[in-house]
Structure formats: structure tokens, C-alpha cells
Amino acid sequence: MTLKPINSEITTLKSLINQTRPLLSTPPPPPPTTTATTTTTTTTSTTITPYPLLRDLSTLLRAHSTNLSIALRPPNLLYPAAAKSIQEITSLIPQYLPAIHALPEIPSLRRSVIRKVEDLFTSITQFFNQTSEEGRDRLSSTGAIWSSCDALIALEAGGGTHGVIGELIKTYEALISDAAGELRAWVVEVGEDEDEGFVDDSAQEETPQEFWEKPIAAGRRRDGEVRGLVEVVLKKIRLLEILLGAVRKRRLADDGLVSERVLEEVVQRVKAVSEAVDDVGMGFYEDEVGEAVEAQKRFQEEAVKLIDLVVCKDGGVEDKYTKWFHNCREAILKEG
């Protein structure tokens, strides 16, 4: 499919995307200056609310991409209509910058939203990078634009800043659940081997690949004490999964919001918990029980620090969930 009649518009759009993309990650401009007099204060710019702006821009862009796809549907190509849609999309691209710059100064939040905008820019570019005569590739590319737009539209309805942080925490929850699943499989394998009553000499001849597929030495797999340690760790990890779910549902949603000033630290603590859980698994898998025990202590310490951040609502106000978080802290620190 030749697009020569609208090559100029396409080139302009791609060029603007290439220019705008790196600017998304640049530091936002300083806050608007104010001029004070004895009687009045004048603000030089209007405050931007980022999530409604991202919603409106993406809703418009989704509509224009739909019109563009219709205009370029074979065999009847409507080049004037396509050119108009491309021009409309081009006018929207730079308007994403003030929305990004208006986001709160929370690094993990900004990175997450920027990735969504970059995905949108990529999907627009890819729309023009396929040449299917039947239009199947173009239809798929239109769907990618819709999906990227929907992800940005959903930010406002999903709770804005606290909602984005909640989604980040959910990704770490998934990593922790994966690590727990691997340890549970390890315990099951122990149970299957314990009654054999001998150590298979062939285990000493495993290749490196076989080692990683069955990473615990045969003798250690039958060590009841180590198995007991793993079972304790699994109980603690289950508490972590419950804790992170409570942080999302009781502190990042509805009326339980915690202060924005601690949100970045909340994410960092959750990340540290996830990394320590992963280190626990690697300790057992590599037959380094001491390292696994130290990693368990670390994820417990990080979990307690996380609880300290969210135990109260914004402003340090105790509520109906405060006692629950105190009890969770005690359970995580409890021996065994």
C-alpha cells in the first residue's frame, strides 16, 4: 500500500514524536513564579491537573486514530481524511509534555506514566511501519494505539497517583508469589524423596543445566531441618502477600489514602521486600542456608519499615485498619 500522498504528514508526525519522546524524562520546569504586591498576588501560569489532561488527550487521540484507520482501509483510500487525522494526532503529541511535568515528584510514579506515554508513541509510529495490502496489520496497529490510549485514560478512574503506585506494588506482589511457588515446589520435591532411604550417586554427575533444573543436592533435599526452615519462610511470605494486598486496598484506595510524601518510600520498601524474598529462594536453591536465613531477616525488617509508613492514614490519623497493621507487624516478627 502506497502512502505517498500523505508522506509529508507522516514524516512530520514521526519527527515530532522523536523530538518529544526524550523530553518526557527531562526534569519538569520550576513551579510558576508569583509576583507579590501589597494588595494582590499574580500567578504566571494555570495549574494543570495531569490525569484529566492525559484522559482528554488520549480520548481524542483514540478517536483520531480510528478515523485514520477508516480512511486508510483498502481499497478506497481517503487521503484527505487521513491527512486531517494525522494532523490532529500531530497537534496532540506535544501536549503530553505538560501533563507529564505536572505529575507529583515521585520518581517511580513518573517512570510508570512515562512508559505508558512512550508505548503510545511507539504504537503510533508502528502504525505507519507496515504495508499489508489487506489491512490486517494496520488493524492490529490501530488496536495497539487504542490499548495504549486506554491505559492512559484509565489512570484517572484508577485512582490517579495512588492508583499508579498500587499497580506498581501489584507487580512486586506477582514476583513474590512466583518465588513462593518455587519454594512450595521445592518442599513437595523433598516430600517425594524422603522415603527412598538412599542418595542417588548419579546426582554427583549432573551437568550445569541439570543442576539448575534440580538445584538442591540430593542429600540436602532430605534434610528435615532445612525443609522446616523453608516451611517457616513460606508462612512469612504468605503474610507478606496479605500485607501488600492490604497496603493496596486499605491505604492506596478509597478513604485510606496515605500521604503522597511517603509513596516513593513505600514503593522502595516493597521492592526491597521482593528482592529479599528472591534472595531467600536463591539461598535454598544454592544450598546456602545461612544466606537464606539472613535474607529472611532482611525481608522481615523491610516489611516492618513498610508497615510503619502505612500504619496510619494521611496525617498520621489512626483508623479501623491501624490495629490490623500493628498485628501484622507482630506476626511477621514472631519466631517460627
Side-chain angles (χ1 to χ4, degrees):
M1 178 188 299
T2 177
L3 297 177
K4 288 182 179 179
I6 53 173
N7 274 351
S8 175
E9 287 82 0
I10 294 173
T11 300
T12 299
L13 174 57
K14 287 185 174 182
S15 176
L16 185 59
I17 287 175
N18 291 336
Q19 293 170 24
T20 305
R21 187 188 293 269
L23 298 178
L24 295 172
S25 300
T26 59
T33 59
T34 58
T35 304
T37 67
T38 56
T39 57
T40 61
T41 298
T42 303
T43 303
T44 59
S45 65
T46 303
T47 300
I48 294 173
T49 50
Y51 303 108
L53 179 55
L54 287 169
R55 176 202 63 204
D56 293 345
L57 292 173
S58 301
T59 300
L60 285 171
L61 201 151
R62 194 185 197 281
H64 291 312
S65 68
T66 302
N67 293 337
L68 175 61
S69 183
I70 293 172
L72 294 178
R73 181 180 298 168
N76 301 315
L77 304 182
L78 307 176
Y79 287 118
K84 187 176 186 302
S85 295
I86 295 172
Q87 291 165 6
E88 295 287 357
I89 292 172
T90 302
S91 70
L92 293 172
I93 295 301
Q95 297 183 57
Y96 280 90
L97 279 176
I100 294 296
H101 289 160
L103 291 168
E105 284 298 305
I106 302 172
S108 56
L109 165 81
R110 295 176 65 82
R111 286 194 296 269
S112 178
V113 178
I114 286 171
R115 279 196 296 270
K116 294 180 188 301
V117 176
E118 288 177 333
D119 288 344
L120 173 58
F121 288 179
T122 298
S123 66
I124 295 170
T125 301
Q126 289 177 343
F127 179 92
F128 297 103
N129 288 346
Q130 38 68 48
T131 58
S132 170
E133 290 294 340
E134 295 79 13
R136 286 193 294 264
D137 289 345
R138 197 171 301 286
L139 181 61
S140 175
S141 296
T142 303
I145 295 175
W146 289 348
S147 178
S148 296
C149 288
D150 289 344
L152 289 163
I153 293 168
L155 292 179
E156 183 187 34
T161 294
H162 286 82
V164 174
I165 297 299
E167 288 301 311
L168 290 175
I169 290 177
K170 191 179 290 187
T171 63
Y172 289 115
E173 284 183 69
L175 294 175
I176 290 172
S177 294
D178 288 345
E182 292 176 2
L183 280 176
R184 289 189 190 98
W186 186 90
V187 173
V188 170
E189 185 180 357
V190 172
E192 291 173 349
D193 289 342
E194 277 181 341
D195 294 333
E196 294 176 12
F198 66 93
V199 176
D200 185 357
D201 291 335
S202 66
Q204 306 301 319
E205 303 173 358
E206 290 177 337
T207 66
Q209 180 63 33
E210 290 169 336
F211 173 82
W212 285 109
E213 291 175 352
K214 189 172 60 177
I216 304 302
R220 177 62 74 185
R221 281 205 304 270
R222 296 178 178 81
D223 189 327
E225 180 181 355
V226 174
R227 182 182 180 185
L229 291 174
V230 174
E231 290 174 340
V232 170
V233 167
L234 284 171
K235 292 178 182 177
K236 298 293 185 182
I237 292 176
R238 179 55 186 153
L239 273 174
L240 294 181
E241 292 175 307
I242 295 171
L243 169 62
L244 297 191
V247 170
R248 285 191 298 104
K249 298 171 185 177
R250 299 175 178 178
R251 286 296 181 253
L252 297 175
D254 300 328
D255 61 348
L257 300 182
V258 294
S259 172
E260 282 191 3
R261 63 181 173 78
V262 303
L263 288 180
E264 181 62 21
E265 188 174 356
V266 166
V267 174
Q268 293 307 312
R269 294 301 178 193
V270 173
K271 178 182 178 183
V273 167
S274 174
E275 291 173 345
V277 168
D278 190 57
D279 289 343
V280 168
M282 289 303 297
F284 284 117
Y285 267 50
E286 295 180 352
D287 204 14
E288 296 290 346
V289 177
E291 292 183 8
V293 171
E294 287 302 312
Q296 177 188 343
K297 292 178 181 177
R298 193 163 71 251
F299 78 57
Q300 292 181 188
E301 291 170 356
E302 293 293 342
V304 168
K305 292 175 182 177
L306 172 62
I307 290 172
D308 290 341
L309 290 171
V310 302
V311 68
C312 294
K313 290 177 63 174
D314 190 5
V317 178
E318 293 190 358
D319 65 354
K320 60 184 178 181
Y321 298 123
T322 298
K323 183 178 180 180
W324 185 93
F325 282 109
H326 282 306
N327 292 339
C328 186
R329 179 199 283 117
E330 293 178 7
I332 287 174
L333 292 176
K334 184 178 179 180
E335 294 292 333

PDB file of all heavy atoms in Angstrom, residues 245-271:
ATOM      1  N   GLY A 245      -1.340  -6.780  49.765  1.00  0.00           N
ATOM      2  CA  GLY A 245      -2.719  -6.607  49.345  1.00  0.00           C
ATOM      3  C   GLY A 245      -3.443  -5.594  50.213  1.00  0.00           C
ATOM      4  O   GLY A 245      -4.220  -4.771  49.722  1.00  0.00           O
ATOM      5  N   ALA A 246      -3.159  -5.621  51.521  1.00  0.00           N
ATOM      6  CA  ALA A 246      -3.785  -4.662  52.433  1.00  0.00           C
ATOM      7  C   ALA A 246      -3.280  -3.246  52.183  1.00  0.00           C
ATOM      8  O   ALA A 246      -4.047  -2.278  52.278  1.00  0.00           O
ATOM      9  CB  ALA A 246      -3.504  -5.067  53.879  1.00  0.00           C
ATOM     10  N   VAL A 247      -2.008  -3.103  51.858  1.00  0.00           N
ATOM     11  CA  VAL A 247      -1.460  -1.780  51.548  1.00  0.00           C
ATOM     12  C   VAL A 247      -2.197  -1.187  50.350  1.00  0.00           C
ATOM     13  O   VAL A 247      -2.585  -0.010  50.350  1.00  0.00           O
ATOM     14  CB  VAL A 247       0.054  -1.855  51.274  1.00  0.00           C
ATOM     15  CG1 VAL A 247       0.565  -0.531  50.711  1.00  0.00           C
ATOM     16  CG2 VAL A 247       0.808  -2.212  52.547  1.00  0.00           C
ATOM     17  N   ARG A 248      -2.434  -2.012  49.319  1.00  0.00           N
ATOM     18  CA  ARG A 248      -3.136  -1.516  48.136  1.00  0.00           C
ATOM     19  C   ARG A 248      -4.597  -1.176  48.432  1.00  0.00           C
ATOM     20  O   ARG A 248      -5.079  -0.109  48.045  1.00  0.00           O
ATOM     21  CB  ARG A 248      -3.082  -2.569  47.016  1.00  0.00           C
ATOM     22  CG  ARG A 248      -1.757  -2.686  46.314  1.00  0.00           C
ATOM     23  CD  ARG A 248      -1.869  -3.537  45.075  1.00  0.00           C
ATOM     24  NE  ARG A 248      -2.259  -4.908  45.357  1.00  0.00           N
ATOM     25  CZ  ARG A 248      -3.462  -5.421  45.151  1.00  0.00           C
ATOM     26  NH1 ARG A 248      -4.428  -4.661  44.664  1.00  0.00           N
ATOM     27  NH2 ARG A 248      -3.723  -6.693  45.422  1.00  0.00           N
ATOM     28  N   LYS A 249      -5.270  -2.100  49.112  1.00  0.00           N
ATOM     29  CA  LYS A 249      -6.720  -1.951  49.283  1.00  0.00           C
ATOM     30  C   LYS A 249      -7.094  -1.006  50.427  1.00  0.00           C
ATOM     31  O   LYS A 249      -8.140  -0.354  50.376  1.00  0.00           O
ATOM     32  CB  LYS A 249      -7.343  -3.326  49.518  1.00  0.00           C
ATOM     33  CG  LYS A 249      -7.157  -4.279  48.337  1.00  0.00           C
ATOM     34  CD  LYS A 249      -7.591  -5.693  48.701  1.00  0.00           C
ATOM     35  CE  LYS A 249      -7.296  -6.673  47.574  1.00  0.00           C
ATOM     36  NZ  LYS A 249      -7.636  -8.068  47.943  1.00  0.00           N
ATOM     37  N   ARG A 250      -6.253  -0.960  51.471  1.00  0.00           N
ATOM     38  CA  ARG A 250      -6.611  -0.195  52.662  1.00  0.00           C
ATOM     39  C   ARG A 250      -5.863   1.120  52.790  1.00  0.00           C
ATOM     40  O   ARG A 250      -6.221   1.951  53.629  1.00  0.00           O
ATOM     41  CB  ARG A 250      -6.372  -1.051  53.911  1.00  0.00           C
ATOM     42  CG  ARG A 250      -7.216  -2.316  53.936  1.00  0.00           C
ATOM     43  CD  ARG A 250      -6.883  -3.209  55.112  1.00  0.00           C
ATOM     44  NE  ARG A 250      -7.744  -4.400  55.129  1.00  0.00           N
ATOM     45  CZ  ARG A 250      -7.652  -5.379  56.039  1.00  0.00           C
ATOM     46  NH1 ARG A 250      -6.739  -5.301  56.997  1.00  0.00           N
ATOM     47  NH2 ARG A 250      -8.465  -6.401  56.002  1.00  0.00           N
ATOM     48  N   ARG A 251      -4.795   1.292  51.996  1.00  0.00           N
ATOM     49  CA  ARG A 251      -4.019   2.517  52.109  1.00  0.00           C
ATOM     50  C   ARG A 251      -3.819   3.262  50.795  1.00  0.00           C
ATOM     51  O   ARG A 251      -3.345   4.383  50.783  1.00  0.00           O
ATOM     52  CB  ARG A 251      -2.648   2.210  52.736  1.00  0.00           C
ATOM     53  CG  ARG A 251      -2.729   1.917  54.237  1.00  0.00           C
ATOM     54  CD  ARG A 251      -3.211   3.140  54.967  1.00  0.00           C
ATOM     55  NE  ARG A 251      -3.294   2.974  56.405  1.00  0.00           N
ATOM     56  CZ  ARG A 251      -4.436   2.865  57.075  1.00  0.00           C
ATOM     57  NH1 ARG A 251      -5.587   2.855  56.411  1.00  0.00           N
ATOM     58  NH2 ARG A 251      -4.445   2.750  58.385  1.00  0.00           N
ATOM     59  N   LEU A 252      -4.143   2.642  49.682  1.00  0.00           N
ATOM     60  CA  LEU A 252      -3.979   3.316  48.394  1.00  0.00           C
ATOM     61  C   LEU A 252      -5.302   3.447  47.655  1.00  0.00           C
ATOM     62  O   LEU A 252      -5.322   3.858  46.502  1.00  0.00           O
ATOM     63  CB  LEU A 252      -2.974   2.541  47.523  1.00  0.00           C
ATOM     64  CG  LEU A 252      -1.557   2.461  48.085  1.00  0.00           C
ATOM     65  CD1 LEU A 252      -0.688   1.564  47.202  1.00  0.00           C
ATOM     66  CD2 LEU A 252      -0.936   3.836  48.218  1.00  0.00           C
ATOM     67  N   ALA A 253      -6.385   3.105  48.314  1.00  0.00           N
ATOM     68  CA  ALA A 253      -7.697   3.185  47.673  1.00  0.00           C
ATOM     69  C   ALA A 253      -8.736   3.729  48.649  1.00  0.00           C
ATOM     70  O   ALA A 253      -8.525   3.725  49.864  1.00  0.00           O
ATOM     71  CB  ALA A 253      -8.121   1.798  47.175  1.00  0.00           C
ATOM     72  N   ASP A 254      -9.817   4.204  48.086  1.00  0.00           N
ATOM     73  CA  ASP A 254     -10.973   4.675  48.855  1.00  0.00           C
ATOM     74  C   ASP A 254     -10.571   5.772  49.835  1.00  0.00           C
ATOM     75  O   ASP A 254      -9.908   6.725  49.458  1.00  0.00           O
ATOM     76  CB  ASP A 254     -11.639   3.489  49.563  1.00  0.00           C
ATOM     77  CG  ASP A 254     -12.127   2.450  48.560  1.00  0.00           C
ATOM     78  OD1 ASP A 254     -12.508   2.847  47.446  1.00  0.00           O
ATOM     79  OD2 ASP A 254     -12.112   1.252  48.876  1.00  0.00           O
ATOM     80  N   ASP A 255     -10.938   5.580  51.138  1.00  0.00           N
ATOM     81  CA  ASP A 255     -10.694   6.647  52.110  1.00  0.00           C
ATOM     82  C   ASP A 255      -9.471   6.374  52.980  1.00  0.00           C
ATOM     83  O   ASP A 255      -9.280   7.012  54.010  1.00  0.00           O
ATOM     84  CB  ASP A 255     -11.921   6.840  53.010  1.00  0.00           C
ATOM     85  CG  ASP A 255     -12.257   5.588  53.801  1.00  0.00           C
ATOM     86  OD1 ASP A 255     -11.694   4.524  53.489  1.00  0.00           O
ATOM     87  OD2 ASP A 255     -13.087   5.680  54.731  1.00  0.00           O
ATOM     88  N   GLY A 256      -8.646   5.432  52.597  1.00  0.00           N
ATOM     89  CA  GLY A 256      -7.489   5.093  53.423  1.00  0.00           C
ATOM     90  C   GLY A 256      -6.167   5.609  52.894  1.00  0.00           C
ATOM     91  O   GLY A 256      -5.122   5.016  53.125  1.00  0.00           O
ATOM     92  N   LEU A 257      -6.198   6.700  52.133  1.00  0.00           N
ATOM     93  CA  LEU A 257      -5.005   7.172  51.444  1.00  0.00           C
ATOM     94  C   LEU A 257      -3.918   7.621  52.414  1.00  0.00           C
ATOM     95  O   LEU A 257      -4.174   8.325  53.388  1.00  0.00           O
ATOM     96  CB  LEU A 257      -5.367   8.334  50.513  1.00  0.00           C
ATOM     97  CG  LEU A 257      -6.383   8.013  49.416  1.00  0.00           C
ATOM     98  CD1 LEU A 257      -6.609   9.229  48.536  1.00  0.00           C
ATOM     99  CD2 LEU A 257      -5.926   6.832  48.582  1.00  0.00           C
ATOM    100  N   VAL A 258      -2.681   7.218  52.100  1.00  0.00           N
ATOM    101  CA  VAL A 258      -1.526   7.708  52.850  1.00  0.00           C
ATOM    102  C   VAL A 258      -0.951   8.919  52.119  1.00  0.00           C
ATOM    103  O   VAL A 258      -1.244   9.163  50.949  1.00  0.00           O
ATOM    104  CB  VAL A 258      -0.440   6.624  53.005  1.00  0.00           C
ATOM    105  CG1 VAL A 258      -0.951   5.479  53.861  1.00  0.00           C
ATOM    106  CG2 VAL A 258       0.011   6.105  51.644  1.00  0.00           C
ATOM    107  N   SER A 259      -0.128   9.662  52.797  1.00  0.00           N
ATOM    108  CA  SER A 259       0.418  10.890  52.242  1.00  0.00           C
ATOM    109  C   SER A 259       1.269  10.626  51.002  1.00  0.00           C
ATOM    110  O   SER A 259       2.026   9.647  50.943  1.00  0.00           O
ATOM    111  CB  SER A 259       1.271  11.595  53.303  1.00  0.00           C
ATOM    112  OG  SER A 259       1.950  12.693  52.748  1.00  0.00           O
ATOM    113  N   GLU A 260       1.157  11.513  50.020  1.00  0.00           N
ATOM    114  CA  GLU A 260       1.981  11.391  48.809  1.00  0.00           C
ATOM    115  C   GLU A 260       3.470  11.466  49.137  1.00  0.00           C
ATOM    116  O   GLU A 260       4.288  10.895  48.421  1.00  0.00           O
ATOM    117  CB  GLU A 260       1.628  12.495  47.808  1.00  0.00           C
ATOM    118  CG  GLU A 260       0.355  12.234  47.026  1.00  0.00           C
ATOM    119  CD  GLU A 260       0.181  13.202  45.870  1.00  0.00           C
ATOM    120  OE1 GLU A 260       1.085  14.032  45.652  1.00  0.00           O
ATOM    121  OE2 GLU A 260      -0.863  13.140  45.193  1.00  0.00           O
ATOM    122  N   ARG A 261       3.826  12.130  50.195  1.00  0.00           N
ATOM    123  CA  ARG A 261       5.250  12.316  50.513  1.00  0.00           C
ATOM    124  C   ARG A 261       5.943  11.002  50.869  1.00  0.00           C
ATOM    125  O   ARG A 261       7.192  10.928  50.824  1.00  0.00           O
ATOM    126  CB  ARG A 261       5.412  13.310  51.662  1.00  0.00           C
ATOM    127  CG  ARG A 261       4.806  12.872  52.970  1.00  0.00           C
ATOM    128  CD  ARG A 261       4.961  13.909  54.072  1.00  0.00           C
ATOM    129  NE  ARG A 261       4.224  13.525  55.262  1.00  0.00           N
ATOM    130  CZ  ARG A 261       4.632  12.612  56.132  1.00  0.00           C
ATOM    131  NH1 ARG A 261       5.795  12.007  55.949  1.00  0.00           N
ATOM    132  NH2 ARG A 261       3.906  12.317  57.192  1.00  0.00           N
ATOM    133  N   VAL A 262       5.182   9.958  51.246  1.00  0.00           N
ATOM    134  CA  VAL A 262       5.810   8.684  51.598  1.00  0.00           C
ATOM    135  C   VAL A 262       5.647   7.635  50.502  1.00  0.00           C
ATOM    136  O   VAL A 262       6.154   6.519  50.650  1.00  0.00           O
ATOM    137  CB  VAL A 262       5.251   8.128  52.928  1.00  0.00           C
ATOM    138  CG1 VAL A 262       5.440   9.125  54.051  1.00  0.00           C
ATOM    139  CG2 VAL A 262       3.790   7.719  52.796  1.00  0.00           C
ATOM    140  N   LEU A 263       4.968   7.965  49.403  1.00  0.00           N
ATOM    141  CA  LEU A 263       4.668   6.953  48.394  1.00  0.00           C
ATOM    142  C   LEU A 263       5.921   6.384  47.746  1.00  0.00           C
ATOM    143  O   LEU A 263       5.996   5.174  47.485  1.00  0.00           O
ATOM    144  CB  LEU A 263       3.742   7.537  47.323  1.00  0.00           C
ATOM    145  CG  LEU A 263       2.291   7.777  47.762  1.00  0.00           C
ATOM    146  CD1 LEU A 263       1.477   8.346  46.612  1.00  0.00           C
ATOM    147  CD2 LEU A 263       1.654   6.503  48.296  1.00  0.00           C
ATOM    148  N   GLU A 264       6.905   7.229  47.474  1.00  0.00           N
ATOM    149  CA  GLU A 264       8.138   6.708  46.862  1.00  0.00           C
ATOM    150  C   GLU A 264       8.826   5.725  47.803  1.00  0.00           C
ATOM    151  O   GLU A 264       9.312   4.668  47.370  1.00  0.00           O
ATOM    152  CB  GLU A 264       9.083   7.848  46.499  1.00  0.00           C
ATOM    153  CG  GLU A 264      10.381   7.394  45.836  1.00  0.00           C
ATOM    154  CD  GLU A 264      10.162   6.691  44.505  1.00  0.00           C
ATOM    155  OE1 GLU A 264       9.088   6.881  43.883  1.00  0.00           O
ATOM    156  OE2 GLU A 264      11.068   5.950  44.074  1.00  0.00           O
ATOM    157  N   GLU A 265       8.872   6.051  49.077  1.00  0.00           N
ATOM    158  CA  GLU A 265       9.494   5.132  50.035  1.00  0.00           C
ATOM    159  C   GLU A 265       8.685   3.847  50.160  1.00  0.00           C
ATOM    160  O   GLU A 265       9.244   2.767  50.344  1.00  0.00           O
ATOM    161  CB  GLU A 265       9.651   5.789  51.405  1.00  0.00           C
ATOM    162  CG  GLU A 265      10.470   4.941  52.364  1.00  0.00           C
ATOM    163  CD  GLU A 265      10.763   5.617  53.689  1.00  0.00           C
ATOM    164  OE1 GLU A 265      10.399   6.808  53.851  1.00  0.00           O
ATOM    165  OE2 GLU A 265      11.345   4.948  54.559  1.00  0.00           O
ATOM    166  N   VAL A 266       7.365   3.947  50.070  1.00  0.00           N
ATOM    167  CA  VAL A 266       6.528   2.747  50.091  1.00  0.00           C
ATOM    168  C   VAL A 266       6.938   1.806  48.962  1.00  0.00           C
ATOM    169  O   VAL A 266       7.130   0.598  49.165  1.00  0.00           O
ATOM    170  CB  VAL A 266       5.029   3.118  49.979  1.00  0.00           C
ATOM    171  CG1 VAL A 266       4.185   1.884  49.655  1.00  0.00           C
ATOM    172  CG2 VAL A 266       4.538   3.758  51.267  1.00  0.00           C
ATOM    173  N   VAL A 267       7.089   2.350  47.756  1.00  0.00           N
ATOM    174  CA  VAL A 267       7.491   1.529  46.615  1.00  0.00           C
ATOM    175  C   VAL A 267       8.863   0.911  46.843  1.00  0.00           C
ATOM    176  O   VAL A 267       9.091  -0.278  46.565  1.00  0.00           O
ATOM    177  CB  VAL A 267       7.493   2.366  45.314  1.00  0.00           C
ATOM    178  CG1 VAL A 267       8.053   1.547  44.150  1.00  0.00           C
ATOM    179  CG2 VAL A 267       6.085   2.839  44.980  1.00  0.00           C
ATOM    180  N   GLN A 268       9.798   1.699  47.374  1.00  0.00           N
ATOM    181  CA  GLN A 268      11.145   1.193  47.601  1.00  0.00           C
ATOM    182  C   GLN A 268      11.161   0.082  48.638  1.00  0.00           C
ATOM    183  O   GLN A 268      11.917  -0.893  48.516  1.00  0.00           O
ATOM    184  CB  GLN A 268      12.064   2.343  48.031  1.00  0.00           C
ATOM    185  CG  GLN A 268      12.308   3.388  46.951  1.00  0.00           C
ATOM    186  CD  GLN A 268      12.798   2.783  45.653  1.00  0.00           C
ATOM    187  OE1 GLN A 268      13.715   1.956  45.638  1.00  0.00           O
ATOM    188  NE2 GLN A 268      12.197   3.196  44.543  1.00  0.00           N
ATOM    189  N   ARG A 269      10.339   0.211  49.684  1.00  0.00           N
ATOM    190  CA  ARG A 269      10.272  -0.845  50.701  1.00  0.00           C
ATOM    191  C   ARG A 269       9.678  -2.123  50.117  1.00  0.00           C
ATOM    192  O   ARG A 269      10.155  -3.225  50.401  1.00  0.00           O
ATOM    193  CB  ARG A 269       9.439  -0.380  51.899  1.00  0.00           C
ATOM    194  CG  ARG A 269      10.047   0.771  52.675  1.00  0.00           C
ATOM    195  CD  ARG A 269      11.422   0.431  53.213  1.00  0.00           C
ATOM    196  NE  ARG A 269      12.016   1.566  53.906  1.00  0.00           N
ATOM    197  CZ  ARG A 269      13.288   1.655  54.262  1.00  0.00           C
ATOM    198  NH1 ARG A 269      14.118   0.655  53.981  1.00  0.00           N
ATOM    199  NH2 ARG A 269      13.756   2.720  54.886  1.00  0.00           N
ATOM    200  N   VAL A 270       8.636  -1.980  49.311  1.00  0.00           N
ATOM    201  CA  VAL A 270       8.029  -3.157  48.676  1.00  0.00           C
ATOM    202  C   VAL A 270       9.039  -3.828  47.740  1.00  0.00           C
ATOM    203  O   VAL A 270       9.159  -5.055  47.711  1.00  0.00           O
ATOM    204  CB  VAL A 270       6.751  -2.769  47.913  1.00  0.00           C
ATOM    205  CG1 VAL A 270       6.217  -3.957  47.122  1.00  0.00           C
ATOM    206  CG2 VAL A 270       5.693  -2.248  48.876  1.00  0.00           C
ATOM    207  N   LYS A 271       9.779  -3.022  47.005  1.00  0.00           N
ATOM    208  CA  LYS A 271      10.809  -3.571  46.123  1.00  0.00           C
ATOM    209  C   LYS A 271      11.874  -4.318  46.920  1.00  0.00           C
ATOM    210  O   LYS A 271      12.301  -5.416  46.535  1.00  0.00           O
ATOM    211  CB  LYS A 271      11.461  -2.432  45.320  1.00  0.00           C
ATOM    212  CG  LYS A 271      12.581  -2.901  44.396  1.00  0.00           C
ATOM    213  CD  LYS A 271      13.216  -1.715  43.684  1.00  0.00           C
ATOM    214  CE  LYS A 271      14.364  -2.172  42.788  1.00  0.00           C
ATOM    215  NZ  LYS A 271      15.048  -1.020  42.138  1.00  0.00           N
TER     216      LYS A 271
END
